[in-house]
């Protein structure tokens, strides 16, 4: 029952969408992380108006479907003549940039809470020590808070990255031919939804697996509570 | 050599409140160069708060803080918490007044050596190689030279605190503040830390130590200050404070905290 | 400059006329569509509860085959985009129905019912997430309570019903609240197969009046409203279920 040539055919066809999927993911996660850092800083600034503005943004983008956000940007912005005449229009007219923008704005809202969790997870005593040794707020943030916060937020951000890989599928609704877009076309051409789903599913699972591994590697690289090399040697000789 | 005629730290009329609760009611204390002052008192007496006012980790609501003749400017607006006029001034002074914390507060993402050189390199902007050499000598001195490439979580409490002391010394401070340096340690690790602090005291450093270790305070200080509910009850050389306590509260405190010393 | 101000004022009035309940207004349609969104979400979530319980039971069972199957289920349906799952169920059932219809002489593509296939797709995906929530909730139970019950000689089924289930439900509520929010947002994807829920209705309105922004921003506001109310509901449920329990952070 398994039609191997068809599977191989589908996989090769679908694989053509992988670069776009990866591009959309990478761009939106990176741009979104920058925005997320800004939002997180607004949240922990202690300055009420900034905190409120950030919270409003986060609630808006986490409480509405990504599809609405994509359509608002791709279809909705065209409603305003002022925008159509601005210098932004060449970008906003392109489905690619609309998708990147929507995805980035969306992940920024989730990332902001993750980053904020990392920032407030840094032990307060260590921050106090940094200030007590004469570090300015900026220096303490750069040398002490940020490195530790990044390590704390890696697991959650890994999850978010995987969610973003899946989110890029929605770009197919605005004509972009990433993996899901090609899959939809393939299904409508071959009327074999189960096989196409299986192939596309394998591709997404593979990408997610790689992303998960990458984050695990990052976590291991920043695990400064790993066993020190000296102790490990001592233990192994004892067992011998 | 420190000049005993110079006043290293001068606190005048320090007041500090948390909400409605006033912790310090106008405390004055001055430490001359080379003095080792132990600050004793029960919990809630305000002794840690007093110490933290020196390097502005707490900003006093009233009174002045003067370090080596330089008074720290404080902005006090009604309805707002007090804050320093210039953080640049505070950071400059903080680089000369080193603190050792009760919970060590070593930076967990840096090795011990990196912890010790972090502030000298990035705050004092000294040459990195020179800082490394000095750091290694300091770690040798406090007895944990073999741990230089380990991370703080791999060290015992006593080792971490000794590393924290090395970190403080690396700043070449003119004043050292110790905020209950052994209170968070298991009893068997207290001795190794006290020995290091005793060593430093004998070198003629200006040190202010908040502590519960009575015997240590008696042996190491040139002056002992007893704080009770935000006011200095009694102050004097250890022989007087421990041998001949004047105030009733001090006698009660000593009999509670250290029987046999009050004899 | 003044013509822009006039446009803005006109714009605001236009918007309210657009979304109002008058003869030109789309307000009624948008609200009806919101109802459809909630309906398909509820059905999908319910299917998800059933699948989630089955999945959790399989994951916690003694049989390796069952555990592996459950692991497959949760990994696949949490790792694959929801849109693909919707395509699978819709086109999958449509081809079956088309084939059957062809046997009776009908020609051409026969689409499967959009509500059912959409709800099923949502159900299968949310079931994978809910299975994880239930597993976490059951594992979070204090060992001691289960052991105490077993030591009293309580038969396993009774133990499950009286000890494990009530506690597990209590622990599961926050996670389920999250999954519900996911389901609500996922329901928007069913618009691609034609179900007239909120997203599709907004598209129709946008196409008809050439005012996409107005319609999509209204849709966004309505989603926010449903999300907000749901959030309050789940928080209230959490409070009630945690009555009498002292939490570690409390």
């Amino acid at each position: 029952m398994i039609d191997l040539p068809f599977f191989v055919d589908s996989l090769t066809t679908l694989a053509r969408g992988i670069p776009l999927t990866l591009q959309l993911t990478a761009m939106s996660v990176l741009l979104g992380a920058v925005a997320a850092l800004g939002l997180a800083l607004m949240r922990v600034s202690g300055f009420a108006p900034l905190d409120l503005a950030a919270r409003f943004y986060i609630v808006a983008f986490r409480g509405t479907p990504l599809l609405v956000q994509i359509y608002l940007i791709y279809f909705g912005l065209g409603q305003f003549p002022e925008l159509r005449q601005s210098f932004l229009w060449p970008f906003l007219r392109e489905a690619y940039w609309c998708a990147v923008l929507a995805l980035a704005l969306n992940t920024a809202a989730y990332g902001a809470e993750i980053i904020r969790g990392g920032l407030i997870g840094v032990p307060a005593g260590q921050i106090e020590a940094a200030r007590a040794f004469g570090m300015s707020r900026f220096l303490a943030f750069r040398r002490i808070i940020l490195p530790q916060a990044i390590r704390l937020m890696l697991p959650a951000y890994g999850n978010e990255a995987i969610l973003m890989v899946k989110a890029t599928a929605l770009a197919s609704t605005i004509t972009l031919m990433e993996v899901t877009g090609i899959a939809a076309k393939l299904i409508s051409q071959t009327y074999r939804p189960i096989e196409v789903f299986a192939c596309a599913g394998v591709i997404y699972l593979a990408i997610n697996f790689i992303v998960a591994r990458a984050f695990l590697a990052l976590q291991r690289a920043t695990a400064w509570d790993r066993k020190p090399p000296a102790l490990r040697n001592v233990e192994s000789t004892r067992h011998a | 050599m420190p000049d005993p005629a110079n006043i290293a730290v001068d606190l005048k009329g320090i007041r500090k409140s948390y909400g409605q609760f006033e912790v310090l009611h106008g405390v004055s204390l001055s430490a001359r160069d080379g003095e080792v002052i132990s600050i004793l008192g029960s919990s809630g007496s305000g002794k840690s708060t007093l110490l933290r006012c020196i390097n502005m980790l707490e900003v006093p609501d009233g009174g002045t803080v003067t370090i080596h003749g330089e008074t720290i400017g404080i902005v006090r607006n009604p309805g707002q918490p007090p804050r320093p006029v210039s953080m640049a001034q505070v950071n400059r002074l903080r680089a000369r007044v080193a603190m050792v914390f009760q919970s060590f507060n070593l930076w967990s993402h840096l090795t011990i050596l990196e912890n010790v050189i972090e502030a000298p390199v990035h705050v004092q902007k000294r040459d990195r190689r020179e800082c490394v050499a000095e750091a290694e000598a300091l770690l040798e001195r406090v007895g944990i030279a073999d741990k230089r490439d380990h991370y703080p979580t791999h060290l015992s409490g006593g080792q971490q605190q000794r590393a924290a002391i090395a970190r403080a010394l690396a700043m070449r401070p003119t004043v050292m503040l110790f905020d209950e340096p052994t209170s968070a340690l298991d009893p068997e690790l207290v001795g190794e830390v006290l020995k290091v602090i005793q060593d430093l005291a004998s070198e003629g450093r200006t040190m202010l130590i908040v502590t519960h270790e009575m015997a240590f305070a008696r042996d190491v200080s040139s002056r002992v200050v007893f704080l009770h509910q935000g006011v200095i009850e009694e102050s004097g050389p250890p022989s007087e404070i421990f041998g001949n306590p004047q105030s009733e509260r001090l006698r009660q405190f000593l009999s509670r905290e250290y029987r046999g010393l009050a004899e | 400059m003044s013509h822009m101000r006039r446009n803005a004022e006109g714009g605001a009035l236009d918007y309210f006329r657009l979304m109002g309940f008058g003869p030109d207004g789309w307000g009624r349609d948008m609200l009806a569509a919101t109802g459809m969104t909630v309906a398909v979400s509820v059905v999908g979530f319910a299917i998800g509860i059933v699948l989630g319980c089955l999945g959790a039971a399989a994951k916690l069972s003694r049989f390796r085959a069952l555990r592996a199957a459950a692991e497959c289920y949760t990994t696949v349906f949490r790792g694959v985009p929801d849109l693909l799952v919707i395509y699978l169920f819709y086109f999958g059932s449509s081809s079956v129905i088309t084939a059957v219809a062809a046997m009776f002489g009908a020609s051409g593509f026969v689409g499967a019912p959009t509500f059912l296939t959409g709800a099923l797709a949502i159900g299968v995906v949310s079931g994978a997430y809910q299975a994880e929530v239930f597993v976490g909730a059951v594992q979070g139970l204090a060992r001691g309570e289960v052991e105490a019950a077993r030591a009293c000689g309580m038969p396993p089924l009774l133990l499950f019903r009286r000890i494990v289930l009530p506690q597990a439900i209590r622990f599961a509520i926050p996670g389920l609240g999250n999954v519900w929010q996911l389901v609500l947002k996922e329901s928007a994807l069913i618009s691609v197969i034609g179900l007239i829920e909120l997203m599709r209705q907004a598209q129709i309105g946008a196409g008809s009046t050439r005012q996409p922004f107005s319609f999509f921003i209204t849709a966004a506001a309505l989603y926010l409203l449903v999300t907000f109310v749901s959030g309050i509901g789940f928080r209230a449920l959490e409070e009630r279920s945690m009555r009498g329990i002292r939490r570690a952070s409390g």
Side-chain angles (χ1 to χ4, degrees), chain A residues 59 62-65 67-68 71-72 75-76 79-80 110 166 169-170 172 183-184 187 191 193-194 197 200-201 204-205 208, chain C residues 75 78-81 83-84 87-88 91-92 95 129 185 188-189 191 199 203 211-214 216-217 220 223-224 227:
Chain A
V59 164
R62 288 186 2 159
T64 56
L67 197 60
V68 176
Y71 280 14
L72 261 173
F75 296 112
Q79 187 178 321
F80 302 105
Y110 291 91
K166 297 200 299 173
L170 270 70
S172 60
I187 291 178
Y191 286 98
I194 299 181
F197 172 83
Y204 276 105
L205 288 174
N208 286 338
Chain C
T75 305
R78 288 187 313 156
V80 163
L83 198 53
L84 263 182
Y87 285 154
L88 171 72
F91 288 112
S95 14
Y129 284 99
K185 286 183 279 186
L189 296 178
S191 61
M199 196 64 212
Q203 275 179 294
Q211 301 212 41
F213 190 84
S214 314
F216 292 130
I217 204 82
Y223 277 111
L224 260 180
T227 302

Side-chain angles (χ1 to χ4, degrees), chain A residues 8-239:
Chain A
V8 174
D9 236 357
S10 304
L11 270 174
T12 30
T13 314
L14 290 168
R16 274 188 241 133
I18 296 181
L20 186 55
T21 292
L22 292 176
Q23 249 185 66
L24 286 170
T25 309
M27 290 215 66
S28 57
V29 169
L30 288 170
L31 291 174
V34 173
L37 181 61
L39 284 167
L41 289 174
M42 284 168 75
R43 284 274 277 137
V44 300
S45 66
F47 187 49
L50 281 181
D51 185 0
L52 229 67
R55 282 166 76 164
F56 179 73
Y57 176 96
I58 292 171
V59 164
F61 276 90
R62 288 186 2 159
T64 56
L66 176 57
L67 197 60
V68 176
Q69 296 159 18
I70 292 179
Y71 280 14
L72 261 173
I73 292 179
Y74 185 63
F75 296 112
L77 291 183
Q79 187 178 321
F80 302 105
E82 296 86 10
L83 266 173
R84 282 208 297 273
Q85 285 153 23
S86 77
F87 68 98
L88 290 170
W89 192 239
F91 285 107
L92 295 179
R93 217 177 31 185
E94 296 289 317
Y96 179 79
W97 291 111
C98 287
V100 170
L101 183 61
L103 289 166
L105 290 176
N106 185 276
T107 181
Y110 291 91
E113 288 298 285
I114 296 174
I115 294 181
R116 184 174 144 263
L119 288 176
I120 61 183
V122 180
Q126 292 186 33
I127 303 177
E128 193 171 70
R131 306 305 314 285
F133 275 79
M135 288 199 208
S136 66
R137 288 190 75 167
F138 180 66
L139 192 62
F141 181 79
R142 193 166 61 86
R143 302 280 313 167
I144 307 295
I145 299 177
L146 199 57
Q148 296 206 37
I150 288 179
R151 184 253 188 164
L152 286 171
M153 66 176 91
L154 278 178
Y157 229 104
N159 275 345
E160 178 62 21
I162 291 179
L163 287 175
M164 284 317 287
V165 170
K166 297 200 299 173
T168 58
L170 270 70
S172 60
T173 61
I174 54 173
T175 78
L176 289 171
M177 281 292 140
E178 38 65 67
V179 174
T180 301
I182 298 182
K185 202 166 82 149
L186 209 53
I187 291 178
S188 65
Q189 283 173 348
T190 66
Y191 286 98
R192 300 169 74 157
I194 299 181
E195 289 95 324
V196 175
F197 172 83
C199 292
V202 163
I203 292 180
Y204 276 105
L205 288 174
I207 297 178
N208 286 338
F209 181 75
I210 295 175
V211 170
R213 276 311 225 235
F215 272 87
L216 267 174
L218 271 173
Q219 280 174 249
R220 262 197 300 269
T222 56
W224 44 75
D225 43 7
R226 60 182 177 270
K227 281 227 166 284
L231 272 178
R232 229 189 282 131
N233 285 339
V234 171
E235 275 179 282
S236 59
T237 55
R238 239 188 290 146
H239 288 312

Side-chain angles (χ1 to χ4, degrees), chain A residues 123-137 139 142-145 147-148 223-231, chain B residues 52 55 57 87 91 94-95 97-99 101 104-110 118-119 122-123 125 150-151 153-154 164 167-168 171:
Chain A
Q126 292 186 33
I127 303 177
E128 193 171 70
R131 306 305 314 285
F133 275 79
M135 288 199 208
S136 66
R137 288 190 75 167
L139 192 62
R142 193 166 61 86
R143 302 280 313 167
I144 307 295
I145 299 177
Q148 296 206 37
W224 44 75
D225 43 7
R226 60 182 177 270
K227 281 227 166 284
L231 272 178
Chain B
R52 289 156 63 85
N55 61 357
L57 286 180
M87 276 320 289
N91 285 334
R94 279 176 176 169
V97 176
M99 190 166 214
F101 296 86
F104 339 129
N105 290 341
L106 291 171
W107 298 308
S108 43
H109 62 301
L110 302 172
E118 176 73 8
H122 289 96
V123 177
K125 308 258 200 270
H150 290 196
Y151 286 94
T153 49
H154 300 141
R167 182 177 63 168
M171 298 290 280

Side-chain angles (χ1 to χ4, degrees), chain B residues 26-236:
Chain B
V27 175
S28 297
L29 175 66
S30 57
R32 284 189 296 281
D33 267 351
E35 276 204 278
V36 177
I37 301 182
S38 288
I39 304 175
L40 310 178
S42 31
S43 331
S45 56
K47 48 193 200 304
S48 276
T49 310
L50 185 65
L51 200 73
R52 289 156 63 85
C53 283
I54 298 177
N55 61 357
M56 287 288 138
L57 286 180
E58 308 283 352
V59 183
D61 295 312
T64 59
V65 178
T66 306
I67 300 183
H68 294 304
E70 188 177 346
T71 304
I72 302 180
I74 298 176
V75 173
R76 296 190 178 114
N77 288 331
Q80 280 176 14
R83 54 179 180 81
V85 170
S86 153
M87 276 320 289
Q89 180 194 38
V90 172
N91 285 334
R92 191 169 29 85
L93 289 170
R94 279 176 176 169
R96 302 177 64 192
V97 176
M99 190 166 214
V100 173
F101 296 86
Q102 180 175 349
S103 26
F104 339 129
N105 290 341
L106 291 171
W107 298 308
S108 43
H109 62 301
L110 302 172
T111 62
I112 296 298
L113 184 69
E114 287 168 349
N115 258 276
V116 176
I117 65 172
E118 176 73 8
V121 169
H122 289 96
V123 177
Q124 293 176 333
K125 308 258 200 270
R126 280 158 43 195
D127 172 57
R128 193 192 167 87
R129 252 189 310 243
E130 176 198 320
C131 292
V132 170
E134 194 167 317
E136 290 183 340
L138 286 171
L139 289 176
E140 180 79 47
R141 179 189 176 166
V142 301
I144 52 172
D146 57 331
K147 302 280 187 222
R148 62 195 284 282
D149 292 321
H150 290 196
Y151 286 94
T153 49
H154 300 141
L155 272 57
S156 73
Q159 291 169 331
Q160 288 190 54
Q161 192 61 301
R162 285 187 275 153
I165 294 175
R167 182 177 63 168
L169 286 170
M171 298 290 280
R172 299 179 182 164
T174 50
V175 177
M176 287 186 80
L177 308 175
F178 294 82
D179 191 358
E180 304 206 32
T182 57
S183 297
L185 294 176
D186 290 336
E188 64 265 20
L189 301 172
V190 168
E192 66 197 49
V193 174
L194 290 182
K195 187 171 171 310
V196 171
I197 302 179
Q198 197 152 9
D199 231 13
L200 297 175
S202 62
E203 280 176 4
R205 293 178 183 281
T206 314
M207 292 160 64
L208 287 97
I209 312 174
V210 171
T211 184
H212 284 301
E213 297 288 329
M214 300 294 141
F216 170 74
R218 182 194 60 196
D219 294 336
V220 98
S221 332
S222 52
R223 186 156 43 116
V224 175
V225 166
F226 174 62
L227 212 61
H228 182 75
Q229 290 184 354
V231 173
I232 294 187
E233 278 275 316
E234 210 169 317
S235 155

